[in-house]
Amino acid sequence: MSGLKWQGWLVGLVVLAGLLVFAPLGLYVWASGEPGAAPPRAAVEDVRVTGCRIDPASRRVVATVQAAGRPQGLGAYVVTVEFRERADAVPGDRAAQALVRLPGVAPAAVEHAEAVGPVWPPSTPPWCGVAAAEFRPTPG
């Protein structure tokens, strides 16, 4: 009879140890958000360069940037545009960059802005691309 008593205690201790190990893990998963909720997408996925040209008067490169609104609400984008001679980045080379701000982008809206780059050498076609982007929701 005393063997059964020890087995009961052993089962109880194993169950208690399991609760101590797995309960915090379950609480962490439960508190981390909705199951299956996707992490917010990167702002760089919402923006793109739709045009890259040399302004004939100033000889500066001008990139047209497009930003799509997010379903979360009104917000502003700050986009870093890069200007290079080739689409492939050359290791060690520093590309010219410019910041462009797109304020008040509404959900489901598409806004455009222009980033002005450096004076560009004649007969060299420029490449313009998005180097980085940041989205900040508008409070309110």
Side-chain angles (χ1 to χ4, degrees), residues 42-44 46-47 65-70 72-80 100-107 109 111 113 132-139:
V44 92
D46 300 335
V47 297
V65 179
Q66 171 183 307
R70 291 183 163 211
Q72 293 93 345
L74 193 66
Y77 286 91
V78 175
V79 182
T80 304
V100 63
R101 189 164 192 273
L102 293 106
V105 181
E111 298 291 336
E134 183 181 320
F135 176 80
R136 295 233 171 124
T138 302

Side-chain angles (χ1 to χ4, degrees), residues 31-91:
S32 67
E34 299 175 27
R41 74 175 182 253
V44 92
E45 295 179 27
D46 300 335
V47 297
R48 66 187 181 114
V49 172
T50 58
C52 186
R53 63 181 173 80
I54 298 173
D55 180 60
S58 67
R59 298 286 312 152
R60 290 186 174 276
V61 182
V62 179
T64 304
V65 179
Q66 171 183 307
R70 291 183 163 211
Q72 293 93 345
L74 193 66
Y77 286 91
V78 175
V79 182
T80 304
V81 179
E82 202 167 67
F83 306 96
R84 298 193 301 246
E85 290 182 11
R86 300 178 8 193
D88 299 330
V90 177

